[in-house]
Amino acid sequence: MFQRRAFLAGLSALAFFPFSLQAAELPDLGGQTVVVVTENAYPPLQFVDPKTGEQVGWEYDAMNEIAKRLNFKVEYQNTSWDAMIQAVSDGQYQVGMTGITIRDDRKEKVDFSEPYMRSEQFMLVRGEESRFTDAESFAAFEDGLIGAQPGTTPFYTAVYSILDGNEANPRIKLFETFGATVQALKTGDVDVVLTDGTAGKGYVDTSNGGLKLIGGPLGTEDFGFILPKGSELVAPINAAIEALKADGTIDALNKKWFLDYKMGE
């Protein structure tokens, strides 16, 4: 869910290209409106800026650029994580974005875009934590509690890669949003939150030493946008994602949101 990830280490200060070098090759969607849903609870991918109250983040910038290049208008709406995949599957929204891991079981309900980001999961803990230092020592610390959202990749990593494979294990405390898990960590209600390095580093950077990441990566995941099965938007969005990768826009967004930006500053 923010240690710098390896793929970020070599980012250069690339300019943000307002128009793709390959724009002429991209489909023109004729100015149609596309309804995009997000949770707004996963900084710096998407969240409400505490200073301005605006919806901002990596995914907003990327989707706005995709819309510009494909000539469609974006209407943003919000829903909870636990409702999002089903709602997109049912056609309530045309696109979903909230750092969604591409998984085969989810492909049974929705179509995914090509991956726009690769992430690694880490353990987020309080800054003074010394009772455990990695997944193995946490598993042996029988009083330790993990905060997670049900049905998310971190939840399944906690169950099957750290604990005993029991999805009802009482050591996992469930919360509706990622932000709620981090708040529970800060107040001592849980001891670990599993998150991709992106979100975790964002929280560490703004915690004034209150939070830290420990251990090595617990797995790699690719993020993609979700769309209803058979959506005609999949191919155009994939083409736009490839264009953003090719001309350096993805690299520029990574630098802006993962290296330069600090929430609340």
Side-chain angles (χ1 to χ4, degrees):
M1 320 34 107
F2 190 112
Q3 317 172 325
R4 298 277 185 228
R5 289 204 306 263
F7 86 93
L8 294 177
L11 290 178
S12 59
L14 298 174
F16 185 87
F17 293 89
F19 297 99
S20 172
L21 299 178
Q22 303 176 9
E25 303 173 14
L26 296 177
D28 187 329
L29 300 187
Q32 67 176 279
T33 297
V34 175
V35 180
V36 178
V37 67
T38 187
E39 187 185 18
N40 272 346
Y42 207 19
L45 295 186
Q46 23 67 30
F47 61 102
V48 176
D49 189 299
K51 292 181 65 176
T52 66
E54 296 181 355
Q55 300 179 130
V56 296
W58 192 104
E59 288 181 329
Y60 278 109
D61 281 0
M63 184 56 64
N64 290 339
E65 187 67 12
I66 289 170
K68 182 188 300 183
R69 298 182 186 205
L70 295 179
N71 186 25
F72 66 82
K73 300 175 183 178
V74 186
E75 177 185 327
Y76 289 110
Q77 296 189 20
N78 304 122
T79 192
S80 63
W81 158 253
D82 58 1
M84 184 176 298
I85 292 179
Q86 189 61 53
V88 171
S89 177
D90 292 342
Q92 296 180 39
Y93 312 103
Q94 291 165 279
V95 180
M97 63 178 201
T98 185
I100 304 172
T101 303
I102 300 173
R103 291 176 27 162
D104 288 342
D105 59 334
R106 293 171 180 167
K107 289 180 180 179
E108 296 176 3
K109 288 189 173 183
V110 294
D111 284 341
F112 277 92
S113 71
E114 291 297 313
Y116 56 79
M117 182 181 296
R118 173 158 290 178
S119 178
E120 294 175 328
Q121 291 184 66
F122 290 90
M123 300 174 69
L124 181 68
V125 300
R126 290 182 292 279
E128 74 277 8
E129 184 58 71
S130 61
R131 297 168 297 177
F132 51 88
T133 58
D134 55 20
E136 184 177 0
S137 57
F138 175 80
F141 177 56
E142 296 182 357
D143 293 332
L145 300 176
I146 302 176
Q149 292 172 270
T152 61
T153 299
F155 170 81
Y156 292 114
T157 299
V159 171
Y160 295 103
S161 298
I162 297 180
L163 299 177
D164 57 3
N166 175 15
E167 294 187 12
N169 191 311
R171 291 184 62 184
I172 302 177
K173 301 300 181 183
L174 301 179
F175 299 86
E176 291 187 1
T177 68
F178 178 72
T181 68
V182 176
Q183 185 59 34
L185 175 64
K186 291 178 178 178
T187 59
D189 293 328
V190 299
D191 303 293
V192 171
V193 169
L194 297 183
T195 174
D196 75 276
T198 305
K201 189 67 170 72
Y203 277 102
V204 169
D205 283 350
T206 58
S207 70
N208 294 319
L211 298 172
K212 64 182 179 181
L213 296 172
I214 63 171
L218 298 173
T220 299
E221 54 188 341
D222 289 329
F223 291 162
F225 302 117
I226 59 172
L227 304 93
K229 297 289 288 185
S231 171
E232 295 181 354
L233 292 174
V234 173
I237 288 177
N238 283 346
I241 290 172
E242 290 305 314
L244 266 61
K245 292 177 180 178
D247 70 12
T249 300
I250 293 289
D251 288 337
L253 289 179
N254 289 340
K255 180 180 184 298
K256 173 183 176 180
W257 289 105
F258 303 152
L259 299 182
D260 294 344
Y261 184 81
K262 293 185 186 297
M263 288 190 353
E265 296 186 1

